[in-house]
Amino acid sequence: MTYTLTTPLYYVNDKPHLGSAYTTLACDALARFQRLKGESVVFITGCDEHGQKIQRTAEAAGLTPQAHCDAVSAQYRELWDRWQISNNRLIRTTDPRHRQIVEQFFARVEASGDIVEGRQQGWYCVACEEFKDDPHEAQDPECPTHRKPLEWRDELNLFFRLSRYQQQIEDLIARPGFIQPASRRNEVENFVRQGLRDFSISRVNLPWGIPVPGHEGHTFYVWFDALLGYITALLDEGDAPDLETALSRGWPASVHVIGKDILRFHAVYWPAMLLSAGLPLPAKVFGHGFLTREGQKMGKSLGNVLDPAELLERCGRDAVRWYLLRDIPFGDDGDFQQQRFSDLVNNDLANTIGNLLNRTSSMARRWFDNAVPPTTKALRLDHPLAQAASQARLSVLEALETLEFRTAAEATLQLAIAANGFLNDQAPWSQMKQEGTRDQVADDLYAVLEAARIVALLIAPLLPDLSTRMLEQLGQPLPDSGAAATAPSPWLQQLEWGGLPEGLELPEPSPVMARLELENPL
Ligand code: MSP
């Protein structure tokens, strides 16, 4: 079985912002976790390049839409490279193969009798690329999200007969685990309960889109085409643009990870389109929350948008990943606060985790010939740190399976805290001054080094760089969470207590995590 996971396909109307980086980083942690566990993973991200919004942005910049899309999608590619995102697909919906997949899919939906002509009247938000139901203001209505004027539309379009799927969609969203976190299910349920209405899937007079076969003058509505990007993305490099081939490469998706604002498209429209085409449904849709900054919505007009490229440049991969995944329960809204950001990074990573390894390895080197001390008692499974490690492992494996990155981070941190506490209680630096305590010190240092090794392994999906530096410092093999998985999983085996070889030479320690000193505001 392939584990297929997707980020949204990002609009290329603007350069990437922190919201896009947030989803992609979380997906990267999930993809790395699944690979480490031995799954074969297809991790899809990409760009959504059609529609009115993109067409207008390009016009305003004096570029052809294609030139504009080429430029912005290159920025996304570069950003993901610099973040070392382990995606194995990057789909652009302007890829010529995508057009053919859309055409083949549409043919199926049309053959099911689900395409009808109709008149579309309503208020449209170009920034959302969505019709808005019943705006509050009678005159000059605005989009509640974008605070931009809605535009009145009245056109003859092709409609998808969503209303036919009322019962199936109700059953689907009632399925436990389909919409995650469960707290997001209500809003979709309410929407569906009001009765599903057919929705228009084509536009007239919009050249920047994929032409609808057999319906001259119509191009596909950007969302109809974009969602299918998840399927086109499955094609391997040399594959012919064939729907069946794409599906055989990893469909259905195990999870679509998205922001809460686009839940309806993923949990209602998309499954209905797939049902109409006779295709299997994704197993899960996870809608995460929105990031604000110091309590305020991030936006260009406020001038407070955090640029993920700059953030990376100034703070490094580990710090940003740790803060976003450790501080905000995935699914809830979160607030980016600079002070808290540096506090957490410094306390958790530099002090608690970094120092643990550093000071223990220094003591082991000083007193035990630059090597891991020999042990008898530390290998026992009822050793307090063996117990703490087993508890942490259980929590991390469970939490990452359900995308609870914060729980996983906290469980890992707890193990490091337990190991630091143990070290302070045992105080080997005092014991070494006494007679006949050498064996005890050897046992204690072994146990703490072993706990640090397990911390390094458990943190690998969240912070692959820090994990690598820690394992190098322990002279340990490096699990590669970016490479294709092997079964049985070496990572799961390495997580067993007692894996650190006694007598193994320890390299000279150097700090594994630098403190974050942000003198200027970000
Ligand atoms: N193109 C569509 C998705 C099509 S998927 C087939 C789209 N693109 S987007 O670029 O506008 O948004 C991409 C994602 O970024 C969405 O999941 C959205 O929720 C997320 N975010 C946008 N702003 C955000 C924050 N401030 N915080 C967290 N995520 C945010 O929608």
Side-chain angles (χ1 to χ4, degrees), residues 6-10 17 19-20 22-24 26-27 179-181 184 187-188 223 230 256-267 285-291 330-333:
T6 67
T7 73
L9 307 184
Y10 300 107
H17 59 82
S20 353
Y22 180 51
T23 326
T24 310
C27 284
I179 296 178
Q180 294 271 309
R184 297 234 176 276
E187 76 191 57
V188 181
W223 269 100
Y230 295 140
H256 292 306
V257 183
I258 52 165
K260 61 182 182 180
D261 56 327
I262 54 175
L263 194 53
R264 195 185 285 186
F265 288 100
H266 286 80
V285 176
F286 194 105
H288 67 67
F290 260 50
L291 296 180
F330 199 57
D332 293 2
D333 291 337

Side-chain angles (χ1 to χ4, degrees), residues 104-401:
Q104 292 166 35
F105 183 89
F106 176 71
R108 288 198 186 208
V109 175
E110 201 168 33
S112 299
D114 283 334
I115 300 296
V116 287
E117 279 195 16
R119 185 166 175 195
Q120 173 74 66
Q121 280 186 317
W123 291 102
Y124 193 75
C125 171
V126 176
C128 295
E129 292 281 16
E130 188 181 13
F131 279 98
K132 298 288 168 185
D133 325 317
D134 313 321
H136 296 303
E137 310 92 331
Q139 271 191 333
D140 303 330
E142 278 190 344
C143 166
T145 313
H146 293 96
R147 294 270 153 240
K148 284 190 185 150
L150 297 175
E151 297 176 21
W152 179 253
R153 294 289 157 82
D154 183 356
E155 9 174 287
L156 285 179
N157 288 157
L158 300 172
F159 278 70
F160 172 68
R161 293 173 71 186
L162 180 65
S163 53
R164 286 175 103 188
Y165 295 91
Q166 179 76 32
Q167 191 57 49
Q168 278 148 292
I169 296 295
E170 277 181 23
D171 295 346
L172 175 69
I173 59 180
R175 208 185 273 174
F178 177 65
I179 296 178
Q180 294 271 309
S183 53
R184 297 234 176 276
R185 199 187 325 160
N186 275 355
E187 76 191 57
V188 181
E189 264 170 2
N190 289 341
F191 170 70
V192 174
R193 225 179 280 127
Q194 289 164 23
L196 292 175
R197 286 187 283 168
D198 298 346
F199 72 97
S200 64
I201 57 135
S202 75
R203 297 288 179 264
V204 287
N205 306 321
L206 177 63
W208 189 239
I210 297 178
V212 182
H215 300 268
E216 212 173 309
H218 290 256
T219 49
F220 281 107
Y221 170 42
V222 59
W223 269 100
F224 188 88
D225 133 31
L227 288 160
L228 281 160
Y230 295 140
I231 291 182
T232 309
L234 289 164
L235 287 170
D236 274 337
E237 201 139 297
D239 282 344
D242 170 57
L243 184 58
E244 289 299 336
T245 311
L247 294 165
S248 73
R249 301 272 182 244
W251 193 256
S254 306
V255 59
H256 292 306
V257 183
I258 52 165
K260 61 182 182 180
D261 56 327
I262 54 175
L263 194 53
R264 195 185 285 186
F265 288 100
H266 286 80
V268 179
Y269 296 2
W270 177 225
M273 286 162 59
L274 289 164
L275 286 167
S276 169
L279 300 181
L281 304 182
K284 192 190 294 188
V285 176
F286 194 105
H288 67 67
F290 260 50
L291 296 180
T292 48
R293 179 171 183 192
E294 312 289 349
Q296 281 191 308
K297 193 178 158 182
M298 267 185 275
K300 268 197 203 162
S301 47
L302 282 169
N304 66 346
V305 179
L306 270 173
D307 175 352
E310 199 187 318
L311 200 59
L312 175 70
E313 197 66 41
R314 286 187 57 187
C315 310
R317 278 190 289 270
D318 292 315
V320 181
R321 285 174 77 112
W322 182 251
Y323 178 63
L324 292 176
L325 298 176
R326 179 253 194 272
D327 198 36
I328 305 160
F330 199 57
D332 293 2
D333 291 337
D335 190 34
F336 189 102
Q337 297 171 2
Q338 181 162 329
Q339 188 60 48
R340 188 161 165 78
F341 172 38
S342 44
D343 287 351
L344 286 181
V345 168
N346 292 339
N347 291 340
D348 300 346
L349 301 184
N351 296 350
T352 305
I353 295 181
N355 275 348
L356 171 73
L357 177 59
N358 220 268
R359 61 182 181 149
T360 317
S361 141
S362 304
M363 286 185 274
R365 279 171 51 91
R366 189 170 333 129
W367 300 321
F368 296 91
D369 250 354
N370 295 330
V372 175
T375 180
T376 44
K377 285 194 247 141
L379 291 175
R380 290 173 49 169
L381 294 183
D382 61 357
H383 189 283
L385 289 186
Q387 302 259 309
S390 139
Q391 184 53 50
R393 185 184 54 182
L394 203 69
S395 306
V396 169
L397 294 183
E398 255 180 39
L400 289 180
E401 205 61 70

Side-chain angles (χ1 to χ4, degrees), residues 371-444:
V372 175
T375 180
T376 44
K377 285 194 247 141
L379 291 175
R380 290 173 49 169
L381 294 183
D382 61 357
H383 189 283
L385 289 186
Q387 302 259 309
S390 139
Q391 184 53 50
R393 185 184 54 182
L394 203 69
S395 306
V396 169
L397 294 183
E398 255 180 39
L400 289 180
E401 205 61 70
T402 47
L403 286 74
E404 293 173 64
F405 303 107
R406 183 166 84 150
T407 311
E410 279 174 347
T412 309
L413 195 61
Q414 278 313 315
L415 176 57
I417 291 172
N420 274 316
F422 178 83
L423 200 59
N424 292 344
D425 291 346
Q426 298 302 103
W429 43 90
S430 317
Q431 294 209 44
M432 276 312 274
K433 293 183 190 142
Q434 296 159 23
E435 290 289 304
T437 52
R438 193 177 163 80
D439 286 355
Q440 181 64 45
V441 170
D443 278 328
D444 292 346

